[in-house]
Amino acid sequence: MDTTIIATPAGKRARQGSVNLTDRLCEKRVAERVKIYDRKCPGLYVSIIPTGVATFNFKFTDPATGKQRSKWLGIYNRETFTVEHARTEVYALRMRIGNGENIAESLRQQKTLKARRGKTVDEIIEERIEWMQTPVRKADGEMRPRLESWENTASHLRRFIGPKLGRKIAVDVTRGDIQALSDDIVAGRHGGKPSVSNARHMRKAASGMFRWALRREYITANPCSDLEPLDPEHPRTRVLTEDEIRIFWHGLADDELLASWDRRTRLALKFELVTMLRSAELLGAHRNELIDLDGEQPRLDVPLKRVKKRRMIQQPLSSLAVEIIRDALKGNNKDFVFASLLDNKPMYRKAMADALRGIKRKGKVTIPGICQLLGLRPFTPHDLRRTAATLAGDLGFDDAWIAKCLDHAASKKAEQIVPTVTGKVYNHSKRMKEKRAVLDGIAAELRRIIGELPVKPVDPKLRLVAA
């Protein structure tokens, strides 16, 4: 059969007229790239380059634009993709066009999808972080990040997932990859200490990111599904004894021993024990959030943006809590009750935790913490909430009342399960009477405990360390 190639001017690609394509023709060697169209199947052509690679394509007219488009079909292979295979694909495409399908739009979508699914894990991590920190209007009318805890999640994504899987194409990440990373974190093979807690944080951050990526068609399946369960984490049970409370309370007033730690930081620690508020909820306390401080029903209104469950807290203030606030406001012309020493802002969120445990540099203690200086077994600010709740329980207060003071959701009352919607939608009571009774009871008990001098004296050597 005559398959002469039509000559073209120098500098232009050669183009063959319409012929009946054959496998033998696709295997023909050429000096420069040529296109040969198939007379038997209009629109089908093969592009042959000097290296001997022959590629099948289908040329058609885009009905939306009236312009010609080409669809890549595949590379010629004598065993797996011949001229007949290419014709079969073209016949199928022509049928789809005849049925009204916009092939050009389908191609555009496929190209977009291919680009999406070619993203690396690092690229998706950064997109996810940008999405999380984008400001949106919240229930109180303020514009704040879409996920207000985005910084913690971003840290988990960048610290745990990025170094191990960042360069990998996201669609290629498997359940085995996530499981191996989780196992490494638990065993301490990721560059840090062994930690089930960090593995749990990593899984939560990864699962959220891959679910988000799946909805955007960056991946085809979530690799975090059906992972092997982690070993249970045992909840902290640290509760200060009466002797420890007495030593702690009187020790916080020792300006000489605790000279390394700001007075307002020490008052904030007392305030957490007395009010049962979380550190983030009390450290940002603003003067205008103090209600009826000189009246009979004093309280602190904590805006929802500082509350873990994003619901406003109205926390009654006992007489002991009011005394602490007045002490904190002495000589304080700033807007915040527990203001930073540096500027008119609240102290940073880890100030209380750092004060309790001290400051380390390269594994060496540079500033001893309050626990060490007072000779107390280590504890955290959150343990003060637990201690207060335990005091309330020992005084006989109902668990539901204590839960309200802690801003926990009480799921049962008198052994009867209460629907979640009841509390979220219908019942907006703040239970102020019950909360005030609990907090007044804790204040009275603390006054009884701290009314005596510490049983355990402070070690004079520690005074020398702090000096």
Side-chain angles (χ1 to χ4, degrees):
M1 180 176 60
D2 183 14
T3 57
T4 304
I5 296 174
I6 299 174
T8 58
K12 293 187 178 181
R13 293 173 182 168
R15 175 167 173 167
Q16 171 76 23
S18 178
V19 300
N20 287 333
L21 280 180
T22 63
D23 291 345
R24 184 177 178 183
L25 183 58
C26 294
E27 297 171 356
K28 186 174 181 177
R29 305 295 292 184
V30 296
E32 58 182 1
R33 179 180 175 181
V34 295
K35 290 182 179 179
I36 307 173
Y37 286 79
D38 186 21
R39 182 183 302 151
K40 186 175 181 180
C41 182
L44 173 64
Y45 70 90
V46 65
S47 175
I48 308 174
I49 59 176
T51 58
V53 177
T55 307
F56 293 112
N57 296 272
F58 171 51
K59 180 170 284 190
F60 63 98
T61 301
D62 184 346
T65 63
K67 296 181 179 180
Q68 286 194 328
R69 298 286 303 275
S70 289
K71 173 173 171 43
W72 183 87
L73 301 176
I75 297 174
Y76 168 77
N77 183 287
R78 185 184 300 177
E79 303 296 331
T80 60
F81 200 71
T82 64
V83 171
E84 286 306 315
H85 288 121
R87 284 173 178 158
T88 300
E89 286 207 16
V90 170
Y91 293 146
L93 289 169
R94 293 177 70 87
M95 183 175 294
R96 287 165 59 186
I97 293 173
N99 291 334
E101 182 179 342
N102 189 338
I103 295 295
E105 180 60 28
S106 298
L107 289 175
R108 280 190 288 269
Q109 291 176 359
Q110 289 175 8
K111 186 176 181 180
T112 301
L113 190 60
K114 184 177 180 181
R116 286 179 177 175
R117 292 181 178 169
K119 286 182 177 290
T120 64
V121 173
D122 271 341
E123 289 174 328
I124 292 181
I125 284 175
E126 296 309 314
E127 280 194 37
R128 169 71 168 167
I129 292 172
E130 184 178 356
W131 179 85
M132 290 190 297
Q133 66 181 352
T134 300
V136 296
R137 193 168 301 282
K138 299 291 183 171
D140 59 357
E142 288 192 8
M143 297 292 289
R144 294 196 298 278
R146 182 178 276 112
L147 296 183
E148 294 183 48
S149 60
W150 70 269
E151 289 174 308
N152 289 333
T153 304
S155 174
H156 299 147
L157 291 173
R158 287 170 172 161
R159 285 169 51 210
F160 300 132
I161 301 172
K164 185 80 172 183
L165 304 174
R167 295 184 180 182
K168 196 163 188 174
I169 299 298
V171 76
D172 294 334
V173 176
T174 65
R175 183 186 297 113
D177 292 327
I178 303 298
Q179 184 66 59
L181 177 57
S182 177
D183 293 343
D184 285 347
I185 294 173
V186 170
R189 293 190 297 266
H190 70 301
K193 295 180 180 179
S195 174
V196 174
S197 177
N198 281 343
R200 200 175 305 280
H201 287 315
M202 180 279 293
R203 288 187 178 198
K204 182 178 178 181
S207 181
M209 181 186 73
F210 283 115
R211 281 200 309 272
W212 178 85
L214 184 60
R215 288 192 291 269
R216 284 155 181 76
E217 296 185 326
Y218 292 161
I219 58 176
T220 56
N222 188 343
C224 296
S225 62
D226 199 28
L227 294 172
E228 182 179 335
L230 290 166
D231 293 333
E233 294 179 77
H234 302 294
R236 291 181 60 88
T237 57
R238 177 78 165 97
V239 173
L240 275 66
T241 65
E242 288 192 11
D243 282 344
E244 287 179 318
I245 292 173
R246 195 175 297 116
I247 293 168
F248 177 62
W249 193 275
H250 288 288
L252 289 176
D254 191 331
D255 292 333
E256 181 184 353
L257 177 64
L258 303 185
S260 300
W261 302 105
D262 175 47
R263 182 177 66 90
R264 290 195 184 93
T265 304
R266 291 179 268 147
L267 289 172
L269 288 165
K270 286 185 176 182
F271 197 69
E272 180 152 349
L273 177 61
V274 173
T275 63
M276 300 169 71
L277 290 170
R278 300 178 181 92
S279 299
E281 294 164 356
L282 68 90
L283 285 179
H286 196 282
R287 287 175 181 267
N288 61 19
E289 294 169 4
L290 300 171
I291 310 299
D292 197 26
L293 199 62
D294 298 319
E296 296 181 357
Q297 305 291 322
R299 72 174 193 268
L300 173 65
D301 286 354
V302 185
L304 59 82
K305 65 183 178 182
R306 285 208 316 271
V307 180
K308 183 177 180 180
K309 297 296 183 181
R310 294 299 181 261
R311 55 194 175 205
M312 192 181 105
I313 294 177
Q314 290 184 336
Q315 198 77 335
L317 297 175
S318 64
S319 59
L320 188 54
V322 171
E323 289 176 17
I324 294 171
I325 288 176
R326 292 194 185 286
D327 196 2
L329 292 176
K330 283 181 183 177
N332 178 4
N333 59 357
K334 299 178 181 179
D335 295 330
F336 297 93
V337 178
F338 304 106
S340 167
L341 286 173
L342 303 178
D343 48 27
N344 189 18
K345 292 181 180 179
M347 62 182 71
Y348 70 102
R349 65 186 182 91
K350 292 187 177 180
M352 295 162 65
D354 286 347
L356 287 176
R357 69 170 171 258
I359 303 297
K360 287 186 177 182
R361 292 287 184 271
K362 297 181 179 180
K364 185 178 180 181
V365 176
T366 56
I367 304 177
I370 291 172
C371 290
Q372 180 183 346
L373 292 170
L374 298 180
L376 295 172
R377 187 160 60 90
F379 61 89
T380 67
H382 201 78
D383 294 332
L384 296 174
R385 273 168 50 91
R386 188 181 301 106
T387 298
T390 302
L391 289 176
D394 291 342
L395 292 170
F397 287 107
D398 186 90
D399 284 350
W401 293 18
I402 298 172
K404 276 292 180 182
C405 294
L406 292 165
D407 191 42
H408 291 170
S411 58
K412 291 186 178 181
K413 187 173 183 180
E415 299 303 320
Q416 182 178 3
I417 297 177
V418 180
T420 305
V421 69
T422 304
K424 285 187 176 180
V425 180
Y426 295 98
N427 185 2
H428 289 259
S429 168
K430 304 298 181 186
R431 299 281 184 184
M432 293 295 287
K433 183 178 179 180
E434 292 90 338
K435 289 169 70 175
R436 190 172 294 280
V438 172
L439 294 168
D440 284 345
I442 291 173
E445 182 67 1
L446 286 172
R447 286 187 188 279
R448 180 192 69 77
I449 294 170
I450 65 179
E452 307 171 28
L453 290 175
V455 174
K456 180 180 178 182
V458 176
D459 188 341
K461 293 181 181 179
L462 291 175
R463 290 185 180 275
L464 295 176
V465 171

